[in-house]
Amino acid sequence: MFVSSSFETLPDEIILHICQYLRGADVLFSFYNLNNRLNITITGYCRYVNLLSVSYEQFEYSVSHVLPQISNSVQTFLLNGNWETIISKKLNSILFQSPMTLLFPQLQKLIIKWFTTEKLLLFIDTLHDLPQLIELDIRFLKGKMLNSLLTKVLSTNNNQLSIVSFDHDSIDFDICDDITLISYPNIEQLTVNLTEAKFMTNLFLLIPNIRCLYLSIEEMSTEIKCQSIFTNLPYLLHLITFQLRSINLFWTLDQISHILKVMPSLQELTFDLRTEDKRLINKENLLTILPRSLIKLEYFIRYYFSQLESEIETTKSFSSPHFPVISMLDEPRSRFIIYTIPCNLHSVILTGTVSQYMPSGWKYMQQTENLYIAHITSVLEILHILQHFRRLRTLTIDAKDKSQILSLPLKSESINFKLPFLKQIEIFGIFELFPLFNVAPNIDYMIIYFDCLKLLLNDESTCRLLQTQVVRLNIVNWEDIESDLIERISEIFCSLRHLVIVLKDSKILIDDFVLKVLSLWKGKSRLSIDIKGLLSKETSENLRQWIITHSHMREEDSFAVECNDNWFDLWF
């Protein structure tokens, strides 16, 4: 006998399994407040709220109607700084102007993306009297360096934060002597980027009780000019985890030794740097400077040598039973890449030439999530390297010659592996990409140059792989607004939700090009369009009405549009 059923009769486990295929905002928009039972089932989606990659209608409804009802449940919230200038005044006042404690009184972690330094400095003032907010995660922070910003962030929420992080895509900080250096004993974990090594002293003064410090120094120099900074470093008595990433400076054993001396309780040490000091890669010397409390050591060192023949003989001294290492020769740069095994660095930079020195079956970098491969001369180099990075999430490939088409040789060896976690790829150069997409079936975010995209869309096998896969596409150096490539994109990328186009010539008027893009996505929802180019004065003066007059968009449609700094942005 046939028994009818409905969505509501499904057990919670099945409903939650279905929700895994949706974005968090889709779940809230579709299921919240349908009935009490579903509200209880999707409680987890009310604790972590991420409203990225949704239609403007869904966003508007979620902010206006759902967030006020689940405000006491929200523990983690992701806030996009790009929303501020494009959303309505009502939504803006809710998210950016009102004290956060009124919106999410139980907030524990706030993730902030794509803010400018000026906006962040103002927004920080809305974060106060939040009894449970202990973590601030800042990503893609751009703009000029403001002297007071770092200290303002560390003191956020009445000095109640314990975890603060700025990702590698955020600005680098100066911590000058003229800043009033008040310490922030509340900070126990910090991830931060400094412009120069000399600011380490002031940084250490700011965070006397730090337990985990992840420090990146971006200084571009062959040497550290102010050596006295290493003899005057404040002690960090509570520090147990320290990571130093500094791949542009040449470090010496003495400098690393001075740093480690002020960390007497250190248990886990990771450094990613370069050196010409042979003592720093000698096992006996390294053992003498390590704190006795140390339990775990990992490093990735680029050792530059002067005479190849004499240095090759020393490779046997790299290894040690206390911390086994592997070395790879990067001959064009006269250097060895030396690293402990296993290597659990979150991010790694390699050159294409090292591919020939990576032994088959090598599995020592399985935990790396972000990889940058530079100076690539063939697609085969990419595959030889990628087979050793099975858990990659983001990949950047950079050709040595950006004008040359790089492809896989017809009679190349077969390399069987998969990259199931790879989601984002950034491409500098012109590559034949089928071999890469064939092993990475879940790439959904692609940053690609115009010339490379033209090549890609001429290959039917690659197009079939990408048809439902890519949801965000960034195209750089678009050369011809009369090109029919935009039609091809609309045909191929069926699941596209975010399209970004940067014209090579920023002075070209894009009015007609914008309308062409809109016409091709007529009837498709959830698309946000960003085009870097010049709109005519008449168009930009009344942009929303211009869109309504010249496209399929209507007055009653839910969409947001703006033009700012020669960026046209439309969200519908």
Side-chain angles (χ1 to χ4, degrees):
M1 181 179 177
F2 176 76
V3 179
S4 63
S5 62
S6 66
F7 181 80
E8 294 182 34
T9 63
L10 296 174
D12 287 354
E13 293 79 5
I14 299 297
I15 292 176
L16 289 174
H17 186 71
I18 293 171
C19 289
Q20 290 178 6
Y21 293 90
L22 303 174
R23 296 179 183 271
D26 294 331
V27 174
L28 295 178
F29 180 79
S30 304
F31 300 143
Y32 186 77
N33 247 4
L34 292 182
N35 56 50
N36 288 333
R37 183 252 173 154
L38 280 176
N39 283 356
I40 295 172
T41 302
I42 64 171
T43 296
Y45 290 91
C46 299
R47 295 192 182 116
Y48 176 87
V49 178
N50 177 350
L51 301 179
L52 295 180
S53 300
V54 297
S55 70
Y56 187 71
E57 180 184 7
Q58 288 176 303
F59 176 82
E60 193 172 37
Y61 179 83
S62 297
V63 174
S64 299
H65 301 288
V66 179
L67 291 189
Q69 296 184 68
I70 66 172
S71 60
N72 287 319
S73 300
V74 177
Q75 297 175 0
T76 300
F77 183 64
L78 191 152
L79 184 63
N80 181 352
N82 290 334
W83 291 338
E84 185 176 12
T85 56
I86 195 171
I87 61 179
S88 68
K89 291 182 179 179
K90 175 186 175 183
L91 302 183
N92 188 295
S93 64
I94 294 173
L95 293 176
F96 292 95
Q97 297 176 20
S98 302
M100 191 63 70
T101 187
L102 299 179
L103 186 58
F104 303 126
Q106 305 303 316
L107 191 66
Q108 298 176 13
K109 176 179 179 179
L110 179 61
I111 304 170
I112 294 176
K113 279 189 172 185
W114 295 299
F115 268 61
T116 64
T117 51
E118 292 85 355
K119 285 182 180 179
L120 181 60
L121 196 61
L122 295 173
F123 177 75
I124 287 297
D125 290 331
T126 69
L127 302 178
H128 55 79
D129 301 320
L130 289 153
Q132 297 190 49
L133 179 64
I134 62 169
E135 182 172 357
L136 193 57
D137 183 351
I138 301 170
R139 308 175 189 177
F140 303 100
L141 178 66
K142 303 300 180 185
K144 62 181 180 180
M145 206 290 298
L146 303 176
N147 286 338
S148 60
L149 183 57
L150 181 59
T151 53
K152 188 78 175 286
V153 169
L154 297 179
S155 63
T156 297
N157 194 30
N158 318 97
N159 291 66
Q160 293 187 58
L161 294 181
S162 59
I163 304 173
V164 173
S165 63
F166 298 88
D167 71 349
H168 286 319
D169 294 306
S170 293
I171 66 162
D172 310 320
F173 286 94
D174 298 344
I175 310 177
C176 301
D177 293 332
D178 58 357
I179 296 177
T180 303
L181 292 176
I182 302 172
S183 68
Y184 300 92
N186 51 297
I187 302 299
E188 297 182 359
Q189 180 173 317
L190 175 65
T191 304
V192 68
N193 314 310
L194 296 183
T195 57
E196 298 181 50
K198 67 181 182 180
F199 296 123
M200 290 175 61
T201 299
N202 287 345
L203 175 67
F204 287 10
L205 287 171
L206 290 176
I207 49 174
N209 292 337
I210 193 73
R211 294 178 60 82
C212 301
L213 177 59
Y214 305 94
L215 176 61
S216 179
I217 298 174
E218 300 301 322
E219 186 172 358
M220 298 285 290
S221 176
T222 56
E223 61 179 353
I224 299 172
K225 298 178 177 62
C226 185
Q227 295 297 327
S228 62
I229 63 172
F230 298 107
T231 57
N232 296 308
L233 287 171
Y235 274 80
L236 297 177
L237 300 176
H238 306 283
L239 188 69
I240 59 174
T241 301
F242 178 57
Q243 178 173 307
L244 173 63
R245 181 180 183 271
S246 178
I247 59 177
N248 298 318
L249 281 171
F250 282 98
W251 290 79
T252 68
L253 179 73
D254 295 333
Q255 292 164 352
I256 297 298
S257 176
H258 283 303
I259 293 174
L260 296 182
K261 282 180 181 177
V262 304
M263 304 173 178
S265 303
L266 196 63
Q267 297 180 17
E268 298 184 9
L269 170 63
T270 303
F271 47 84
D272 181 7
L273 47 82
R274 68 175 176 172
T275 186
E276 292 176 320
D277 187 349
K278 191 174 180 178
R279 298 176 301 157
L280 190 54
I281 52 93
N282 180 278
K283 59 186 179 184
E284 285 80 11
N285 292 328
L286 262 181
L287 285 172
T288 62
I289 69 170
L290 298 177
R292 291 185 177 182
S293 57
L294 197 68
I295 298 173
K296 183 179 180 181
L297 170 67
E298 294 180 346
Y299 60 71
F300 192 95
I301 302 177
R302 300 150 186 84
Y303 170 55
Y304 290 76
F305 54 82
S306 55
Q307 295 180 350
L308 180 60
E309 293 303 320
S310 61
E311 296 297 339
I312 285 180
E313 297 176 0
T314 70
T315 58
K316 294 180 181 178
S317 68
F318 293 161
S319 188
S320 163
H322 300 283
F323 40 92
V325 302
I326 279 182
S327 63
M328 293 188 298
L329 177 64
D330 187 1
E331 191 169 355
R333 288 161 188 77
S334 298
R335 69 181 184 180
F336 281 101
I337 296 175
I338 307 162
Y339 48 90
T340 50
I341 52 174
C343 182
N344 294 317
L345 289 181
H346 182 72
S347 301
V348 170
I349 300 174
L350 294 174
T351 54
T353 52
V354 304
S355 62
Q356 57 188 303
Y357 299 102
M358 303 175 87
S360 61
W362 183 61
K363 298 179 180 179
Y364 299 126
M365 286 191 171
Q366 292 288 330
Q367 300 306 311
T368 299
E369 295 186 354
N370 306 315
L371 176 64
Y372 187 112
I373 311 176
H375 299 278
I376 297 167
T377 59
S378 76
V379 173
L380 196 57
E381 285 180 344
I382 301 173
L383 298 179
H384 274 147
I385 292 174
L386 290 182
Q387 64 180 320
H388 306 298
F389 293 84
R390 303 298 176 92
R391 300 191 70 84
L392 276 188
R393 294 186 177 274
T394 68
L395 170 66
T396 302
I397 55 177
D398 191 346
K400 184 177 181 180
D401 183 348
K402 304 294 191 297
S403 62
Q404 180 185 1
I405 297 176
L406 300 182
S407 58
L408 190 67
L410 293 176
K411 295 184 179 181
S412 59
E413 60 186 288
S414 176
I415 305 176
N416 296 316
F417 68 97
K418 288 292 182 183
L419 299 173
F421 304 102
L422 185 58
K423 303 288 286 183
Q424 175 181 323
I425 181 169
E426 187 168 3
I427 302 157
F428 296 95
I430 308 173
F431 296 89
E432 189 180 88
L433 291 171
F434 177 80
L436 180 54
F437 286 110
N438 196 39
V439 300
N442 296 312
I443 292 176
D444 62 11
Y445 181 11
M446 182 163 59
I447 304 169
I448 188 169
Y449 275 74
F450 181 80
D451 286 337
C452 188
L453 184 62
K454 283 197 301 183
L455 179 68
L456 183 154
L457 295 182
N458 283 330
D459 182 67
E460 291 298 331
S461 56
T462 307
C463 290
R464 282 193 295 271
L465 289 176
L466 298 178
Q467 204 158 22
T468 58
Q469 193 170 314
V470 174
V471 297
R472 178 174 178 133
L473 178 63
N474 289 28
I475 308 167
V476 183
N477 278 2
W478 188 288
E479 294 184 3
D480 182 10
I481 60 174
E482 302 297 330
S483 167
D484 59 1
L485 189 67
I486 192 67
E487 286 93 338
R488 186 79 172 129
I489 292 170
S490 68
E491 294 169 359
I492 297 299
F493 296 98
C494 304
S495 300
L496 201 60
R497 293 183 177 179
H498 194 176
L499 175 64
V500 179
I501 298 175
V502 180
L503 297 187
K504 188 173 185 178
D505 183 353
S506 60
K507 296 181 180 179
I508 294 178
L509 285 176
I510 61 171
D511 298 43
D512 292 339
F513 186 61
V514 166
L515 295 178
K516 185 177 183 179
V517 173
L518 288 179
S519 68
L520 291 170
W521 268 270
K522 181 179 180 180
K524 299 179 182 180
S525 60
R526 294 187 175 204
L527 184 68
S528 63
I529 300 168
D530 301 301
I531 302 177
K532 178 73 169 179
L534 191 63
L535 283 174
S536 64
K537 183 179 179 180
E538 296 78 8
T539 296
S540 56
E541 284 179 347
N542 195 354
L543 189 53
R544 182 180 178 87
Q545 187 57 51
W546 179 80
I547 292 290
I548 293 170
T549 303
H550 294 88
S551 75
H552 62 281
M553 308 295 289
R554 298 171 299 176
E555 186 71 46
E556 61 270 22
D557 287 340
S558 182
F559 72 95
V561 63
E562 70 162 351
C563 183
N564 190 24
D565 293 330
N566 286 346
W567 272 105
F568 168 83
D569 303 308
L570 176 67
W571 183 7
F572 63 88

